[in-house]
C-alpha cells in the first residue's frame, strides 16, 4: 500500500528498530542511501547496509531482520512470493521502477510503498483484477448488468482480514443458468489478463528515490545542503542515463530550485558572509558538454554524446566541421586543447553564450541544459552531471580486482569526499564509449533484424571489459542509438529500438543483453523489452538469468544467443 | 603530552548553544546540564555542543571573544608588547579549530577569524622561541612567563627539556676530575 504520511508511517516506525537497508547499485539509490544514512546518524538508529545487485542477493538477508528498507529495488515484482519472508516482516520500498506490481499496491500489511501517488501510475482498480476464492462458488449477477467491472475477479493472495472483508456476495436471481455464469467468469478472467498485460507491458521510471528521501528530511526539518546536493545528483542521474522524460526533469528541477534558493539566501548577506569552505549550491544553465570543467574543451566536445552525434565526429567531414565550429567562435586551438582551468580568463568569461550562439548555427539548439553546480573551497567546483559520471565510473570500475561491494562503498564515500579519481575513471570510460561507437558505425556492426536493431560486441574489442557492467553497457547503447540515428539515411531504421549484447563472463560463457526503446524527440522512455525477453527465453528454453532489477537487462549463455534472437524477431514482428 | 590530549582538555570549556529540542535537566558526573528548550540559549561543554551540532540538534553561538574587531585589537597588542599579553581564552587555539571545523556556518566571517587567530599564535610562538633562546644562551637559572596557554607550553616543552638535559650533560662532562665526569649513555 502507498504511504501517505512519510514521517508517521515510515520514519517513526523504524526509528526505534534495527533496520536492514537494501540498496540497488545505481547512483540514484546511492544518493538516497546517503540521505537516509545521515538521518539515521542524527537519530542513532541501528541499521545494516547491504548493497544488492540482483534478486538472489536479497534472499539471504531475510532471516535476521524484521524491518527492511529497499531502495530502487522490489517494486516491480511480487515481493512476497519471490522472497517468502516471515509474516511479521515489513518492507518499505522506495523504488523508481514502474509499473508497481499490483500485489505490492494492494497488500495492506507487509508492503509499504514510499512512492508519490500523483506520478502517472495508472494502477488498475482493485475490483478489476482481484476476486476472493469464496466467490468461485457463489455465482450471480447484478440485475441485468453483466458487463465488465460488475463482478470482481482476481487471484488468491495472502491478505489481511480487512481486505477480505470487502468481498461482496452476489446471489442467484431468478433462474440464471450455470453455463452463462461460467461464460461470464471466462470473460472476466480474459479481461483481467488484458488489463494486467496492458499495465505491465511497458517499463519506465518514476520520481527519483533520492528526492523522496530528501522530502522526508525536509518534513523532519533535518535537511542540510549536503542532502540537497545528493538529491540533485539522484535527479541528474535519471536525466544523464535517460530514464525520465525531459518534461519531468524540468518539473523536478523546479522543485529542487525552490529548496536551493531556500538554503542559499544566507549567502547574500554581506555583513555575515559564509566561510569559503561552506558548500554553495547554485542553479546553472550550463553546457551539455560532459566534464568540460575538468578536461580540455576540445576533449569534452569530442566525447560528449550530444556534440559528437550532431557533428558526426566519427567521419572526416565531422572533424572538419568541428574545426570550423571552433574557428567560428574565435577560439584558438591551443587554448581549446589546454586544461579548462588553464584557459585564458577572457575566453572563459563568455564561453557559454559564445558556444550557444555558434551551436545554433550548426543545428544544436539544446546545447544548454538546466542543472545545478556546487562549489566549496577554492578548488572544488562540480556540476551535478560531472558527479554522476564520476560516481558511475567508480561504481562499475573494472580496474582492480575488487568486489562489487567494495566499489559500492567507494562510490558511497566519494559523495562526501573528493572525486578526482572518479573523474579520471569517467574520462577513460567516455573515451572508450566514443571509440566503440565510432568503430561500430564505421564497420557497420549494427544490423537491422526487422523489428529492432542489433549489435554484438566481440570479445576482442578494446575496453570490452568496461561494457560487461549493466550501467556502462546501457549508456553505450543509448549513445550508440543516438549516433546511429544521426548517421543513417534509412528513415525506417531511425524508429527502431536497439538491442545490444556484450560478453560478461568469459569463463562461464555468458553475455549480457540490454534493450532500449527507440530514440525520438518526444519519447516517453517506456521499454517493452522486459516482457519480450521473458517470453523469448521461455519459448526457446534458453538459459537466461533475469536477476537484474531492470527487467530489460538479462544474462544469457553465449550458445543460446542466436535462437534467443530468432525467437525475439518472431515475437516482435 | 599529545596535542590531541590538550584538545580533549579544551573540550571541557563551556559554550552557548541554541537547541531545537526539549529535554529536562540531565545530571552528569561532571555537573548538571540543561534543561533544554527549543530556541532558548543554554551553556554546555564543547564536546556536547559539537555532538549536538553534528546531529543537527542545535546552533552554536560563537564565544564573545571570537569577533573580528576584538581579535584585531588583541593581535595589535600582542605585536606591540614584548611580554605575553592576556589571552581571550586559555584554550583559544583549540576552540577556534574545533568550532570553525564543525560549525563554521554559525560563525560569521569565519575565514578572517581563522587568519587572525593564526597571526596571534604565530606572534606568541615567536616570542616564546626568542625567550627560550635567550634563556639558554644567558644560562639563566629560572624564568617567569605569564599568560602562556597549555597548548603553547606543550609545543615547546619536549624540545626545551631535552635541550636543557643535553646542555647539562655536555657541561658536566667538560669539568675536569669531577665526580660527574663519566660518560653516561642514554
Amino acid at each position: 500500500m502507498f504511504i501517505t504520511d512519510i514521517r508517521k508511517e515510515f520514519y517513526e516506525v523504524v526509528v526505534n528498530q534495527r533496520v536492514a537497508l537494501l540498496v540497488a547499485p545505481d547512483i540514484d539509490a546511492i544518493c538516497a542511501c546517503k540521505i537516509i544514512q545521515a538521518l539515521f546518524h542524527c537519530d542513532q538508529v541501528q541499521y545494516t547496509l547491504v548493497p544488492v545487485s540482483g534478486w538472489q542477493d536479497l534472499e539471504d538477508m531475510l532471516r535476521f531482520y524484521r524491518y527492511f528498507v529497499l531502495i530502487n529495488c522490489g517494486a516491480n515484482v511480487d515481493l512476497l512470493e519471490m522472497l517468502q519472508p516471515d509474516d511479521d516482516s515489513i518492507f518499505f520500498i522506495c523504488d523508481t521502477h514502474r509499473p508497481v506490481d499490483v500485489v505490492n499496491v494492494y497488500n495492506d500489511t507487509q508492503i509499504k510503498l514510499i512512492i508519490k501517488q500523483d506520478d502517472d501510475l495508472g494502477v488498475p482498480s482493485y475490483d478489476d483484477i482481484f476476486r476472493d476464492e469464496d466467490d468461485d462458488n457463489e455465482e450471480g449477477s447484478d440485475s441485468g448488468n453483466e458487463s465488465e467491472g460488475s463482478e470482481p475477479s482476481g487471484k488468491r493472495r495472502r491478505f489481511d482480514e480487512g481486505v477480505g472483508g470487502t468481498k461482496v456476495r452476489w446471489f442467484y436471481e431468478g433462474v440464471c443458468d450455470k453455463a452463462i455464469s461460467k461464460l461470464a467468469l471466462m470473460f472476466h478472467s480474459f479481461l483481467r489478463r488484458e488489463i494486467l498485460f496492458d499495465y505491465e507491458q511497458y517499463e519506465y521510471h518514476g520520481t527519483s528515490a533520492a528526492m523522496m528521501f530528501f522530502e522526508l528530511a525536509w518534513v523532519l526539518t533535518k535537511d542540510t545542503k549536503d542532502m540537497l546536493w545528493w538529491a540533485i545528483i539522484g535527479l541528474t542521474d535519471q536525466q544523464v542515463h535517460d530514464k525520465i522524460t525531459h518534461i519531468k526533469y524540468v518539473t523536478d528541477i523546479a522543485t529542487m530550485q525552490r529548496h536551493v534558493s531556500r538554503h542559499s539566501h544566507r549567502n547574500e548577506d554581506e555583513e555575515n558572509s559564509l566561510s569559503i569552505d561552506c558548500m554553495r549550491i547554485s542553479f546553472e544553465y550550463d553546457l551539455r558538454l560532459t566534464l568540460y570543467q575538468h578536461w580540455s574543451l576540445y576533449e569534452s566536445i569530442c566525447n560528449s554524446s550530444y556534440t559528437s552525434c550532431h557533428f558526426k565526429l566519427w567521419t572526416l567531414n565531422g572533424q572538419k566541421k568541428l574545426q570550423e565550429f571552433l574557428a567560428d567562435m574565435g577560439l584558438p586551438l591551443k587554448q581549446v586543447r589546454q586544461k579548462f582551468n588553464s584557459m585564458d580568463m577572457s575566453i572563459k568569461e563568455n564561453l557559454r553564450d559564445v558556444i550557444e550562439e555558434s551551436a545554433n548555427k550548426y543545428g544544436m539548439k539544446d546545447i544548454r541544459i538546466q542543472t545545478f553546480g556546487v562549489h566549496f573551497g577554492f578548488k572544488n567546483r562540480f556540476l551535478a552531471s560531472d558527479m554522476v559520471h564520476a560516481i558511475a565510473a567508480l561504481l562499475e570500475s573494472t580496474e582492480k580486482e575488487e568486489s562489487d561491494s567494495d566499489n559500492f562503498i567507494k562510490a558511497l564515500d566519494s559523495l562526501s569526499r573528493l572525486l578526482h579519481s572518479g573523474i579520471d575513471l569517467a574520462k577513460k570510460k567516455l573515451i572508450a564509449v566514443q571509440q566503440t561507437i565510432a568503430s561500430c558505425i564505421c564497420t557497420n556492426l549494427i544490423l537491422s533484424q526487422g523489428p529492432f536493431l542489433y549489435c554484438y560486441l566481440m570479445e576482442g574489442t578494446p575496453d570490452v571489459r568496461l561494457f560487461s557492467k549493466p550501467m556502462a553497457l546501457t549508456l553505450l547503447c543509448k549513445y550508440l542509438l543516438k549516433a546511429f540515428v544521426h548517421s543513417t539515411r534509412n528513415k525506417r531504421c531511425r524508429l527502431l529500438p536497439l538491442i545490444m549484447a556484450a560478453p560478461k563472463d568469459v569463463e562461464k560463457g555468458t553475455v549480457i543483453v540490454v534493450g532500449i526503446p527507440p530514440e525520438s524527440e518526444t519519447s516517453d522512455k517506456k521499454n517493452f523489452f522486459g516482457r519480450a525477453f521473458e517470453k523469448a527465453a521461455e519459448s526457446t528454453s534458453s538459459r537466461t538469468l533475469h536477476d537484474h532489477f531492470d527487467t530489460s537487462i538479462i544474462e544469457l549463455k553465449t550458445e543460446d544467443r542466436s535462437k534467443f534472437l530468432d525467437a525475439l524477431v518472431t515475437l516482435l514482428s | 603530552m599529545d596535542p590531541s590530549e590538550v584538545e580533549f582538555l579544551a573540550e571541557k570549556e563551556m559554550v552557548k548553544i541554541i537547541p531545537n529540542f526539549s529535554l529536562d535537566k540531565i545530571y552528569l558526573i561532571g555537573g548538571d546540564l540543561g534543561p533544554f528548550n527549543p530556541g532558548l540559549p543554554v551553556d554546555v561543554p564543547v564536546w556536547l555542543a559539537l555532538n549536538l551540532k553534528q546531529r543537527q540538534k542545535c546552533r552554536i553561538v560563537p564565544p564573545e571573544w571570537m569577533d573580528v574587531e576584538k581579535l584585531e585589537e588583541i593581535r595589535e597588542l600582542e605585536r606591540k608588547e614584548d611580554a605575553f599579553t592576556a589571552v581571550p581564552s586559555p584554550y583559544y587555539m583549540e576552540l577556534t579549530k574545533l568550532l570553525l571545523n564543525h560549525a563554521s556556518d554559525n560563525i560569521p566571517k569565519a575565514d578572517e577569524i581563522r587568519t587572525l587567530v593564526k597571526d596571534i599564535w604565530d606572534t606568541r610562538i615567536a616570542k616564546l622561541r626568542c625567550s627560550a633562546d635567550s634563556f639558554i644562551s644567558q644560562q639563566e637559572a629560572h624564568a617567569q612567563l605569564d599568560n602562556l596557554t597549555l597548548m603553547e607550553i606543550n609545543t615547546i616543552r619536549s624540545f626545551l627539556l631535552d635541550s636543557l638535559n643535553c646542555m647539562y650533560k655536555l657541561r658536566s662532562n667538560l669539568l675536569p676530575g669531577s665526580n660527574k665526569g663519566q660518560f653516561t649513555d642514554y
Side-chain angles (χ1 to χ4, degrees):
Chain A
M1 65 172 229
F2 290 103
I3 283 192
T4 39
D5 184 345
I6 195 173
R7 172 166 34 181
K8 282 209 202 85
E9 297 177 39
F10 166 59
Y11 198 68
E12 294 185 357
V13 170
V14 298
V15 87
N16 297 317
Q17 312 284 346
R18 283 196 67 195
V19 182
L21 266 183
L22 305 173
V23 185
D26 73 86
I27 299 165
D28 185 26
I30 289 183
C31 295
C33 170
K34 247 350 216 175
I35 297 179
I36 195 77
Q37 270 184 317
L39 287 175
F40 282 169
H41 286 161
C42 282
D43 288 315
Q44 298 176 329
V45 175
Q46 292 179 309
Y47 67 94
T48 309
L49 174 63
V50 186
V52 287
S53 49
W55 296 113
Q56 294 171 343
D57 292 340
L58 272 184
E59 287 164 2
D60 305 326
M61 293 304 309
L62 291 181
R63 275 158 282 133
F64 306 112
Y65 299 94
R66 254 190 86 204
Y67 289 91
F68 298 85
V69 178
L70 273 69
I71 305 186
N72 270 356
C73 51
N76 51 355
V77 290
D78 185 356
L79 204 60
L80 296 177
E81 183 127 333
M82 177 170 280
L83 298 179
Q84 304 285 342
D86 300 329
D87 280 339
D88 56 355
S89 317
I90 301 199
F91 295 85
F92 294 97
I93 305 180
C94 183
D95 192 350
T96 56
H97 292 106
R98 307 276 182 273
V100 184
D101 192 277
V102 289
V103 176
N104 291 342
V105 173
Y106 290 118
N107 179 311
D108 279 342
T109 47
Q110 286 188 277
I111 298 197
K112 320 265 182 194
L113 297 166
I114 308 180
I115 290 176
K116 268 203 212 164
Q117 271 191 282
D118 48 48
D119 265 344
D120 49 334
L121 287 173
V123 183
S125 71
Y126 181 77
D127 292 332
D128 283 342
I129 40 182
F130 287 116
R131 171 189 59 175
D132 300 307
E133 55 212 64
D134 284 357
D135 277 356
D136 276 344
N137 303 326
E138 301 278 351
E139 300 140 350
S141 55
D142 198 15
S143 34
N145 191 7
E146 284 187 5
S147 55
E148 54 264 33
S150 61
E151 208 174 286
S153 58
K155 32 189 176 174
R156 278 185 228 176
R157 293 288 167 206
R158 296 188 303 204
F159 279 145
D160 196 19
E161 264 314 303
V163 165
T166 60
K167 51 188 161 210
V168 183
R169 299 193 175 266
W170 299 90
F171 294 96
Y172 262 124
E173 259 185 35
V175 258
C176 282
D177 206 8
K178 266 200 177 164
I180 298 185
S181 34
K182 273 225 173 70
L183 260 175
L185 271 171
M186 271 170 48
F187 177 67
H188 290 301
S189 69
F190 168 74
L191 204 63
R192 178 192 130 239
R193 272 204 304 274
E194 276 290 303
I195 294 180
L196 274 179
F197 179 73
D198 281 336
Y199 178 60
E200 292 175 354
Q201 188 185 27
Y202 288 99
E203 181 192 58
Y204 58 104
H205 287 266
T207 316
S208 143
M211 278 177 58
M212 295 300 303
F213 281 126
F214 179 74
E215 264 195 46
L216 168 66
W218 182 41
V219 163
L220 296 169
T221 59
K222 289 208 168 95
D223 58 324
T224 60
K225 279 195 196 149
D226 286 318
M227 293 186 198
L228 176 58
W229 181 237
W230 295 329
I232 290 175
I233 297 179
L235 171 63
T236 314
D237 164 54
Q238 290 195 313
Q239 197 271 337
V240 164
H241 288 106
D242 230 7
K243 292 184 188 167
I244 54 175
T245 59
H246 191 67
I247 300 178
K248 181 154 174 53
Y249 174 68
V250 171
T251 325
D252 287 342
I253 286 268
T255 322
M256 289 282 110
Q257 165 65 352
R258 287 199 284 274
H259 290 293
V260 166
S261 30
R262 182 169 54 91
H263 275 276
S264 52
H265 76 277
R266 285 183 56 213
N267 294 350
E268 309 302 315
D269 194 355
E270 274 308 313
E271 288 284 312
N272 301 329
S273 54
L274 281 185
S275 155
I276 196 79
D277 285 327
C278 287
M279 181 185 260
R280 283 173 167 81
I281 306 178
S282 52
F283 178 77
E284 311 266 349
Y285 188 40
D286 213 336
L287 300 167
R288 241 190 240 245
L289 302 172
T290 25
L291 294 176
Y292 80 95
Q293 287 173 352
H294 305 272
W295 222 346
S296 68
L297 194 58
Y298 186 76
E299 294 264 357
S300 176
I301 295 182
C302 289
N303 290 313
S304 307
S305 147
Y306 188 72
T307 42
S308 128
C309 291
H310 280 271
F311 283 133
K312 302 205 215 349
L313 284 177
W314 51 87
T315 59
L316 270 180
N317 223 355
Q319 300 279 347
K320 281 196 209 145
K321 254 193 172 177
L322 174 60
Q323 309 284 4
E324 265 180 45
F325 176 67
L326 292 172
D328 186 58
M329 289 194 291
L331 299 177
L333 267 182
K334 230 176 152 197
Q335 287 291 329
V336 156
R337 280 187 197 263
Q338 264 191 346
K339 266 179 78 83
F340 189 80
N341 289 332
S342 331
M343 272 171 73
D344 271 350
M345 277 310 293
S346 54
I347 300 185
K348 273 199 274 189
E349 264 164 23
N350 282 334
L351 190 65
R352 290 184 212 171
D353 297 317
V354 164
I355 290 191
E356 186 175 15
E357 254 187 69
S358 298
N360 273 329
K361 291 188 218 160
Y362 283 81
M364 297 190 281
K365 307 268 184 233
D366 299 317
I367 193 144
R368 284 174 88 162
I369 189 173
Q370 298 161 335
T371 182
F372 292 96
V374 73
H375 76 267
F376 43 94
F378 287 104
K379 210 167 61 146
N380 306 308
R381 302 199 51 202
F382 297 104
L383 286 178
S385 52
D386 299 343
M387 307 257 324
V388 167
H389 282 285
I391 299 174
L394 275 176
L395 190 58
E396 297 193 327
S397 97
T398 51
E399 298 258 307
K400 304 177 200 157
E401 290 302 315
E402 282 174 358
S403 71
D404 283 338
S405 349
D406 285 337
N407 284 338
F408 184 90
I409 299 291
K410 243 198 229 170
L412 203 58
D413 277 343
S414 74
L415 275 175
S416 320
R417 266 164 269 207
L418 297 183
L419 273 189
H420 298 288
S421 62
I423 291 192
D424 292 329
L425 283 174
K427 287 183 196 170
K428 285 191 202 152
K429 177 172 145 189
L430 286 171
I431 294 180
V433 164
Q434 284 302 320
Q435 286 174 345
T436 316
I437 291 179
S439 71
C440 282
I441 295 195
C442 293
T443 56
N444 286 328
L445 271 180
I446 308 181
L447 311 162
S448 162
Q449 299 281 353
F452 55 84
L453 300 165
Y454 173 67
C455 180
Y456 178 58
L457 287 181
M458 312 286 235
E459 250 164 65
T461 324
D463 302 312
V464 78
R465 240 173 13 123
L466 266 178
F467 302 122
S468 63
K469 304 275 183 179
M471 235 180 3
L473 188 61
T474 318
L475 194 71
L476 172 67
C477 207
K478 291 198 200 264
Y479 284 2
L480 183 60
L481 187 58
K482 285 199 179 106
F484 181 74
V485 160
H486 276 99
S487 77
T488 183
R489 281 195 216 145
N490 185 337
K491 287 226 177 4
R492 203 185 67 84
C493 278
R494 285 194 198 158
L495 302 172
L496 293 178
L498 173 63
I499 294 187
M500 198 147 179
K504 186 177 171 84
D505 194 334
V506 183
E507 292 118 27
K508 288 194 217 153
T510 53
V511 292
I512 175 172
V513 182
V514 163
I516 59 171
E519 165 77 20
S520 80
E521 291 288 320
T522 51
S523 144
D524 55 1
K525 319 280 180 200
K526 292 201 178 184
N527 193 336
F528 55 78
F529 280 114
R531 306 284 158 219
F533 284 168
E534 274 175 25
K535 289 213 179 99
E538 262 178 54
S539 64
T540 58
S541 57
S542 319
R543 291 159 288 176
T544 55
L545 190 59
H546 296 262
D547 194 39
H548 208 261
F549 298 123
D550 276 324
T551 51
S552 56
I553 302 180
I554 63 168
E555 224 178 294
L556 176 67
K557 282 276 189 195
T558 328
E559 300 93 31
D560 298 335
R561 203 165 37 100
S562 34
K563 60 176 176 169
F564 182 77
L565 275 175
D566 292 332
L568 265 180
V569 173
T570 37
L571 194 64
L572 294 174
S573 10
Chain B
M1 242 183 166
D2 208 29
S4 45
E5 289 174 17
V6 181
E7 188 183 68
F8 182 74
L9 291 173
E11 286 178 349
K12 267 173 58 172
E13 292 290 301
M14 301 299 264
V15 75
K16 219 181 248 315
I17 64 163
I18 301 181
N20 61 17
F21 60 99
S22 59
L23 190 61
D24 289 331
K25 208 165 183 186
I26 49 176
Y27 302 96
L28 304 177
I29 293 177
D32 302 343
L33 291 176
F36 297 89
N37 291 308
L40 297 179
V42 63
D43 278 320
V44 294
V46 168
W47 57 267
L48 183 60
L50 293 179
N51 181 288
L52 289 177
K53 173 76 185 165
Q54 284 169 333
R55 290 162 59 192
Q56 294 166 51
K57 289 197 183 308
C58 77
R59 191 162 69 84
I60 295 190
V61 176
E64 285 164 359
W65 52 266
M66 207 178 262
D67 172 61
V68 174
E69 282 109 21
K70 293 215 180 84
L71 287 174
E72 273 177 356
E73 278 174 29
I74 296 178
R75 182 183 63 171
E76 295 311 310
L77 200 59
E78 194 71 48
R79 284 179 178 168
K80 272 193 313 196
E81 299 276 324
D82 281 341
F84 295 94
T85 59
V87 275
S89 150
Y91 292 103
Y92 72 96
M93 192 65 186
E94 302 87 300
L95 285 182
T96 313
K97 174 196 168 252
L98 286 170
L99 293 180
L100 289 180
N101 280 351
H102 295 276
S104 61
D105 49 340
N106 291 146
I107 300 177
K109 302 204 181 154
D111 298 331
E112 283 139 345
I113 290 180
R114 210 189 284 261
T115 322
L116 286 168
V117 168
K118 186 81 172 67
D119 285 342
I120 297 175
W121 168 267
D122 285 339
T123 318
R124 292 172 68 93
I125 291 289
K127 284 189 199 167
L128 192 56
R129 275 199 292 267
C130 290
S131 150
D133 186 44
S134 60
F135 178 74
I136 293 181
S137 55
Q138 290 162 22
Q139 297 183 20
E140 305 278 343
H142 71 272
Q144 179 179 339
L145 297 162
D146 297 329
N147 295 327
L148 268 187
T149 63
L150 182 58
M151 195 70 169
E152 289 151 2
I153 297 175
N154 192 50
T155 312
I156 203 166
R157 174 184 294 133
S158 65
F159 171 71
L160 190 60
L161 294 181
D162 283 348
S163 51
L164 286 174
N165 269 336
C166 256
M167 309 254 343
Y168 173 70
K169 290 211 176 337
L170 290 173
R171 243 181 266 140
S172 59
N173 283 327
L174 277 180
L175 290 170
S178 104
N179 296 350
K180 305 177 202 152
Q182 283 109 21
F183 271 94
T184 45
D185 290 329
Y186 268 39

